[in-house]
Amino acid sequence: MPSSTWYVSAVANGQLLILRWLQQRNIPTPRGFGYADTSGMSVMHRAAARGHTSIMQWLVASESRCSLHIRCNGNFAPMHYAAMNGHLATVRWLRERGAPAVPFCGGPILPISLAARGGYGDTVEYLRLAGAPAPVEIKHGDWADWVDAVHLAVGRNDLRRLVYLHDEVGVPLTMKRGAGEWPIHTAARFGHLESVTYLHEHGAAL
């Protein structure tokens, strides 16, 4: 396996011991520790997307090119990836080290909006207190991009996330994923009684 593949895999999977092993043996990667894939997504972006704060700490300490403000080709900073996946501890760590709640990249797409779309209310609240503007209000009926968030929440029995999506954002709980199943059927398939109960109590038919 090429050392660059080792390196990226270790970062993405939070394998700090492997990274230290590579470093101790001076095993280089083809592009050094600033390695990025063809999309421009750096190892710092990958660590942020997975919420591997300890890996990010190691990257900053080990390699000066691993910036907390680096942008990928999609113009997103690590803060965007941490927020969109609801990794509050990583978002907090980035803020404590100077990463802005409203990065100077990403265009109109803000980390707080990505957190809201994922249903991560605690991350939204933290970013609001850090100075980010409220997420853009979604027009009534424009819910197509929110279907996955609802199904992921019920599939993981993440009731807190489900309540945020419904009560705070206003996402309907009766949307199918493509030609697939209703959220309540997803919850039932996984045996998540709490989610089934919440969905049923809020209008989802059995």
Side-chain angles (χ1 to χ4, degrees):
M1 180 185 292
S3 55
S4 63
T5 306
W6 275 57
Y7 181 59
V8 174
S9 178
V11 168
N13 291 289
Q15 300 297 330
L16 185 55
L17 290 178
I18 295 296
L19 291 172
R20 287 173 174 163
W21 184 88
L22 288 167
Q23 184 185 50
Q24 289 166 1
R25 284 157 182 77
N26 294 316
I27 299 176
T29 64
R31 302 184 193 180
F33 285 104
Y35 181 85
D37 62 22
T38 55
S39 72
M41 191 172 182
S42 73
V43 286
M44 186 65 80
H45 288 100
R46 292 187 180 279
R50 296 290 186 92
H52 296 318
T53 309
S54 62
I55 299 294
M56 297 175 76
Q57 292 171 331
W58 182 85
L59 287 169
V60 170
S62 302
E63 175 55 46
S64 60
R65 283 174 292 177
C66 286
S67 169
L68 299 179
H69 311 288
I70 190 170
R71 295 182 292 179
C72 64
N73 288 350
N75 215 25
F76 280 3
M79 177 69 82
H80 286 90
Y81 283 97
M84 78 165 65
N85 292 294
H87 298 308
L88 178 57
T90 303
V91 169
R92 194 188 304 274
W93 182 83
L94 285 164
R95 282 284 301 131
E96 290 171 351
R97 280 148 189 83
V102 182
F104 305 113
C105 58
I109 304 176
L110 301 179
I112 192 170
S113 297
L114 295 171
R117 181 153 295 196
Y120 301 111
D122 52 354
T123 303
V124 170
E125 182 180 2
Y126 175 80
L127 289 170
R128 283 285 288 132
L129 292 173
V136 176
E137 185 175 348
I138 307 301
K139 295 179 181 179
H140 180 69
D142 185 20
W143 299 112
D145 293 337
W146 297 76
V147 176
D148 283 345
V150 172
H151 281 267
L152 283 171
V154 299
R156 297 171 180 172
N157 203 31
D158 191 340
L159 198 58
R160 183 177 180 181
R161 188 175 175 189
L162 186 60
V163 170
Y164 173 80
L165 284 166
H166 182 255
D167 292 1
E168 298 296 326
V169 181
V171 181
L173 301 176
T174 54
M175 298 184 298
K176 283 186 178 181
R177 177 186 279 173
E181 60 193 1
W182 304 105
I184 196 168
H185 296 154
T186 299
R189 178 160 57 85
F190 286 103
H192 297 323
L193 183 58
E194 296 91 343
S195 292
V196 169
T197 300
Y198 178 84
L199 289 163
H200 182 57
E201 290 176 348
H202 290 81
L206 294 172

